[in-house]
Amino acid sequence: PSPYIGMDTQFTPLPSIVYRDKHVSVEGTTASYSFNGRGAPIEYFAKVGFDPRIMRPSDSSDVDMQKLDKRKTSFMGGAGVRFNFPGTTAFLESTIATDISGVHNGHYGEIKAAYPIRMGAFGITPSIGYQINSADLNNHLYGVSREEASRTRFDEYSMDYEGDYFIGLNGYMFLTKKISISGSVRYVSLEDDLKKSPILSETDSMTAYFSLNYTFF
């Protein structure tokens, strides 16, 4: 569901590739490289991922929303550290990333705690965390520029560093030895200054991802 005024649920189709070895992991829209190997007590990694947040003005039923600039998707690249708790699958992960696609030149920092639960052919991973975004990223997604304000009813609006709290759930299920389904859902609650953006109708949002996969080896 889109948080923007006059917009319904948005769908973005894209190919799904899942690959894992000791150092490389590709899952859905994110790829990472572990420098000292996945599962190390303290794991250092680099990652690149597709940020699916988008706003297409033409999708809105609101006349003034249709006059805003498009909020394009971006690719984010960064690095992080993961603390894997011994004797359990739980971990605490901290990541920083920046826009490497030149869309908004913003960056963010994120801290997340997760607990993968694997039961053979089925598994889920609940998570909870906090993400803080730079002013460039926040204004790209939720701000109103002077030029936009001049041609709409919205007042100019800008933000500084501000973030959101989130909870998530990832899961997979093998239907056969070769065919599986996987997916994730992430519920986000924006902080105060973001909630005051004049172009938002909802300040809590949800993003979901679903894929059908075939395993080659």
Side-chain angles (χ1 to χ4, degrees), residues 123-187:
I124 57 173
T125 302
S127 62
I128 185 170
Y130 173 76
Q131 182 181 106
I132 185 167
N133 300 325
S134 70
D136 287 334
L137 178 52
N138 282 332
N139 289 321
H140 169 72
L141 293 173
Y142 312 117
V144 179
S145 68
R146 181 177 303 175
E147 291 76 15
E148 290 175 318
S150 68
R151 59 180 184 263
T152 67
R153 71 176 186 276
F154 304 119
D155 293 330
E156 182 180 354
Y157 191 74
S158 62
M159 292 147 283
D160 203 341
Y161 279 80
E162 194 87 356
D164 57 71
Y165 299 91
F166 63 87
I167 56 174
L169 183 67
N170 295 5
Y172 68 87
M173 177 184 292
F174 276 88
L175 305 178
T176 69
K177 289 183 177 181
K178 294 290 186 179
I179 299 175
S180 65
I181 56 175
S182 61
S184 67
V185 61
R186 179 160 165 161
Y187 176 82

Side-chain angles (χ1 to χ4, degrees), residues 87-142:
T88 177
T89 58
F91 64 87
L92 180 67
E93 182 177 292
S94 178
T95 307
I96 56 172
T98 187
D99 175 24
I100 58 175
S101 55
V103 173
H104 50 72
N105 299 315
H107 52 273
Y108 72 82
E110 180 179 291
I111 185 167
K112 175 178 70 174
Y115 184 43
I117 302 170
R118 302 185 180 97
M119 296 167 284
F122 173 76
I124 57 173
T125 302
S127 62
I128 185 170
Y130 173 76
Q131 182 181 106
I132 185 167
N133 300 325
S134 70
D136 287 334
L137 178 52
N138 282 332
N139 289 321
H140 169 72
L141 293 173
Y142 312 117

